[in-house]
Amino acid sequence: MTSFGDLLGPPPTLLTGDDEAESELLNGAAPAAVAAGSPTASIAWAYLAEAALDRVNGSAAADEAPAAAVEAYAYARTGYHRGLDQLRGHGWKGYGPVPWEHQQNQGFLRCVGALARAAKIIGEEDEYLRCLDLLGDCDPRAAAEVGLV
C-alpha cells in the first residue's frame, strides 16, 4: 500500500538526498557555494530560489524585482530538473507518491514550489498550474508545506 492509500499505485519514492550539502546548509554555508560544490543537491537550489523570491517579495527595490523573479525561476528550474534526475534514478516513472515527510524529498518539492511561485510572478500561468498539479500528485500536503495554499 502506498503512503496515500492506493493499493494498486506505485510505492512512494524516497530520495537518498545529499547529506553533506544538507549539513553544510544547516551549518550556515552560503547556498551558492553549496550548489557549486554539490550541483545535484536540489536543496541548495531551493535555498537559492527561495532567497531570490524573498527579494521579490519586499526586500528588493521595485526595479530589481523582475530580475530577482527570473533568478528565482532559474534556480528553481535547475533544482527541479536535478530532482527529476534523482527521482528517475530511484525508479520514479513520472507519477506516484513523493512524500513530503521524507526529509530528503523536500529539496525537490521545495524547488517545485519555488518554480510555481516564480512562474506566477512572471506571468507563466501554465507552468504555475503544472507545478501545482505535480505537487498534488507527489503529496497532497506538499503545496501547503511550500506555502502555496
Side-chain angles (χ1 to χ4, degrees):
M1 184 162 136
T2 70
S3 63
F4 305 121
D6 183 354
L7 294 172
L8 302 176
T13 302
L14 305 177
L15 295 175
T16 52
D18 186 324
D19 292 338
E20 185 177 335
E22 292 174 24
S23 177
E24 289 175 15
L25 291 164
L26 290 173
N27 287 313
V34 176
S38 300
T40 61
S42 289
I43 191 66
W45 298 105
Y47 271 70
L48 290 166
E50 291 164 351
L53 286 167
D54 287 345
R55 290 195 310 277
V56 172
N57 295 324
S59 61
D63 61 335
E64 295 175 9
V70 170
E71 181 183 338
Y73 187 95
Y75 286 140
R77 167 109 14 229
T78 300
Y80 161 80
H81 280 287
R82 297 319 290 254
L84 286 177
D85 292 342
Q86 292 170 8
L87 285 166
R88 290 181 185 121
H90 283 79
W92 191 70
K93 305 289 186 208
Y95 60 90
V98 181
W100 172 266
E101 66 203 22
H102 183 68
Q103 191 268 332
Q104 290 87 347
N105 289 349
Q106 292 177 14
F108 168 73
L109 296 169
R110 286 171 59 182
C111 282
V112 176
L115 183 57
R117 289 194 306 276
K120 183 83 164 172
I121 292 166
I122 66 172
E124 195 174 355
E125 188 69 16
D126 289 345
E127 180 74 354
Y128 170 74
L129 294 172
R130 279 191 297 274
C131 290
L132 285 181
D133 286 345
L134 177 57
L135 285 171
D137 290 345
C138 286
D139 186 330
R141 298 165 297 186
E145 292 289 347
V146 298
L148 286 168
V149 286

